Amino acid sequence: MQTRTIRLTSGADLDGFRAAIRHLVPAGVPPEAVTWVEGDAASLFAEDAPAEPGSALVLPRAVAELVPPVVMHRDPERYGLLHRLIWRVARGERHLAEVASDPLVHRLTLMRKAVARDLHKMHAFLRFRRSGAGEGGRERFAAWFEPEHHILAEAAPFFAARFPSFDWSILTPDGSAHWDGRALHVGPPGRREDVPEHDAFEAGWTDYYSSTFNPARTNLAAMRAEMPKKYWHNMPETAAIPGLVREAGRRVGEMIARAPEAPVKRVPARALAAMAAQEPASLEALNAVIRASEPLVPGATQAVLGEGPLGAAIALVGEQPGDQEDLQGRPFVGPAGQLLARALREAGIDRSQAYLTNAVKHFKFEVRGKRRIHQKPTAGEVAHYRWWLDRELAFVAPRLVVALGATAVLALTGRQVPITRARGPAAFEGKPYPGFVTVHPSYLLRLPDEARGEAYAGFVEDLRRAATLAADPASRVGMAG
Ligand code: URA
């Protein structure tokens, strides 16, 4: 058998791999005949990946979606493993990528998950430090980060969208990314010493972290899992952790003694400003910012935060808290919530194991007599809260997200879609989780009695389907977009 050595550029060379595989597989070159080398590890006989497109190689979506994240993985065998997968798919195993028990698919799936986790950590734990003046007097910031995988190019657009108004550089041991207010540029590896050790944000971060740290919920194992120690040296707020943990016991005692008159904690304005310019590192940190923010439309008693375990199989997104939710500070406790609880039970979903939240976190209402009448949030208000919802769901990382009604669909997709058209399994574009669209329980409450029974049964059936999809990823194959 003739063997070939294909050279790709170091890092995640998706274009090179695609070009090569489009030649190799249609030409019948099996995986065992190919050695993939990266960058300078060139052998005398290495060929560059072909520049012209090869023949069309039509791959099932599940395979096409697996390729980019696996290419970002640092495992030197990644290209060979993908070649083996594509080879088998092209030879007739069309549904191979959905066979979770296949050892090759299992390994590639773990690689995809590791890359997704790494991206999440980079988004959450990267900290910019002020590093001088940029072009035209713009402020300049720099950050040092050590990703586990080759994710810099994938992660950088997130920071360009989040921080468009200052110039910044992200330096990593593998490469760098630079934003000048107009475009992203990639550059050579950086050095940690090129990023200032301290800056003015730090005080804000440390204040913020200390003021939102809840000593009664100190759980070191969970903290380490959420914010692994290796990221701490880049995160100024972590300097406060050892002291806070040492003090936790005493502070809990004080909290118990003071409980009846304990004031609602407000995050200092300076810390909030620092927070808004950075990325919360945990759901608790995110919730603290939401709790401390003013409602977009005045009147609400408090922000109503999501409720349920991290890693819940199902997350359900409603519209906004109602009157009862606003008073009690918990989602879905009023009439619509009670109907939802009953439907969940009948669909076999344990409410305490699901994550319940809303697109909008504050109650918007109009006073009529003694009653506070719910007002539908505008598209602008939904967009305002969307940043929070996205991050909240990223921390919860559910296996499936159920949108209850049109406002939830708008929040999750940015699009106004009639429920009648969207109802059922859905892919929410750009979201890492599959979705499911159904009606809002309040809609059922508004129906005339004679129509409610059938509509309710349809709602329970939807929830049952959603539970099946969340429990068995294989049943999601062929889901409509
Ligand atoms: N309706 C919602 O959408 N959410 C709630 O929490 C309560 C009612």
Side-chain angles (χ1 to χ4, degrees):
M1 181 174 51
Q2 196 200 340
T3 58
R4 317 249 311 245
T5 300
I6 308 278
R7 180 189 11 238
L8 298 176
T9 57
S10 48
D13 187 356
L14 183 59
D15 291 343
F17 175 73
R18 278 191 177 136
I21 210 75
R22 281 190 191 126
H23 277 83
L24 294 170
V25 173
V29 182
E32 51 283 9
V34 177
T35 306
W36 301 86
V37 292
E38 281 186 63
D40 297 333
S43 95
L44 204 52
F45 303 106
E47 330 163 24
D48 286 322
E52 335 79 63
S55 18
L57 180 61
V58 182
L59 295 174
R61 198 164 113 187
V63 178
E65 286 176 356
L66 201 53
V67 173
V70 170
V71 162
M72 287 178 229
H73 201 280
R74 209 176 277 277
D75 188 333
E77 291 182 29
R78 63 194 180 283
Y79 296 117
L81 294 170
L82 284 172
H83 189 176
R84 275 165 57 194
L85 178 81
I86 294 168
W87 177 258
R88 286 174 58 189
V89 170
R91 301 256 137 175
E93 293 181 72
R94 297 297 291 174
H95 295 289
L96 177 59
E98 284 121 37
V99 184
S101 56
D102 182 278
L104 175 61
V105 174
H106 179 66
R107 182 161 168 199
L108 291 167
T109 305
L110 291 182
M111 290 165 80
R112 173 173 60 73
K113 287 189 177 160
V115 166
R117 258 196 320 275
D118 202 26
L119 271 166
H120 167 70
K121 299 252 184 283
M122 184 158 180
H123 289 160
F125 300 144
L126 182 137
R127 295 284 178 269
F128 284 109
R129 297 194 157 119
R130 195 172 274 111
S131 67
E135 264 180 53
R138 285 157 57 88
E139 284 202 286
R140 174 154 246 314
F141 288 79
W144 170 252
F145 199 81
E146 294 167 50
E148 280 179 24
H149 302 290
H150 301 296
I151 57 167
L152 178 61
E154 181 72 10
F158 166 89
F159 295 103
R162 245 352 238 108
F163 307 116
S165 55
F166 56 75
D167 292 355
W168 51 253
S169 293
I170 297 173
L171 309 185
T172 81
D174 302 314
S176 51
H178 309 271
W179 171 251
D180 60 9
R182 288 179 299 278
L184 269 170
H185 307 275
V186 288
R191 293 174 317 163
R192 182 191 295 205
E193 51 273 32
D194 294 335
V195 173
E197 277 286 316
H198 302 284
D199 88 347
F201 265 155
E202 280 180 24
W205 266 103
T206 311
D207 270 14
Y208 167 76
Y209 194 82
S210 305
S211 67
T212 59
F213 181 86
N214 182 347
R217 294 180 63 188
T218 308
N219 175 342
L220 281 178
M223 269 169 73
R224 281 202 200 100
E226 185 87 7
M227 197 197 282
K229 229 175 158 170
K230 70 176 213 178
Y231 299 105
W232 287 21
H233 64 258
N234 289 325
M235 301 171 70
E237 67 272 29
T238 54
I241 290 176
L244 290 167
V245 170
R246 258 194 320 273
E247 289 279 286
R250 185 184 57 74
R251 286 182 59 198
V252 171
E254 283 176 16
M255 277 166 75
I256 292 167
R258 264 201 333 254
E261 73 274 9
V264 175
K265 188 171 282 174
R266 289 272 162 196
V267 178
R270 181 171 70 122
L272 248 189
M275 187 67 207
Q278 295 279 357
E279 192 66 14
S282 67
L283 183 58
E284 233 180 29
L286 179 75
N287 280 343
V289 184
I290 301 175
R291 206 181 284 120
S293 311
E294 292 301 320
L296 195 55
V297 177
T301 314
Q302 58 192 315
V304 176
L305 305 172
E307 197 174 89
L310 291 182
I314 292 195
L316 297 117
V317 180
E319 182 192 81
Q320 65 166 331
D323 181 71
Q324 286 303 309
E325 288 79 14
D326 174 70
L327 296 173
Q328 296 185 38
R330 293 185 54 208
F332 289 104
V333 290
Q338 283 162 24
L339 188 65
L340 175 65
R342 191 177 122 200
L344 287 171
R345 220 171 22 251
E346 288 178 22
I349 300 171
D350 180 349
R351 180 188 160 130
S352 70
Q353 294 309 306
Y355 186 84
L356 300 184
T357 192
N358 283 299
V360 167
K361 309 297 188 211
H362 292 105
F363 180 37
K364 178 181 165 190
F365 59 89
E366 188 185 284
V367 179
R368 278 195 222 143
K370 289 194 174 151
R371 295 181 59 211
R372 304 192 300 169
I373 309 294
H374 157 277
Q375 297 282 293
K376 196 175 163 64
T378 63
E381 285 154 9
V382 173
H384 170 83
Y385 287 91
R386 205 169 166 205
W387 186 84
W388 282 332
L389 180 66
D390 281 348
R391 268 144 201 82
E392 180 184 11
L393 291 176
F395 285 123
V396 175
R399 270 190 256 148
L400 180 97
V401 173
V402 177
L404 299 170
T407 302
V409 174
L410 174 62
L412 290 162
T413 64
R415 282 185 293 151
Q416 311 249 24
V417 189
I419 292 302
T420 41
R421 246 187 45 212
R423 195 164 181 170
F428 299 144
E429 205 181 310
K431 300 287 190 284
Y433 40 76
F436 194 97
V437 174
T438 185
V439 295
H440 192 285
S442 303
Y443 156 81
L444 302 173
L445 291 174
R446 288 195 302 270
L447 285 175
D449 290 350
E450 62 278 13
R452 194 175 303 139
E454 196 184 333
Y456 174 76
F459 181 54
V460 173
E461 186 47 37
D462 276 356
L463 295 176
R464 203 173 282 132
R465 269 180 86 195
T468 310
L469 294 173
D472 175 12
S475 63
R476 293 204 288 266
V477 173
M479 220 161 53

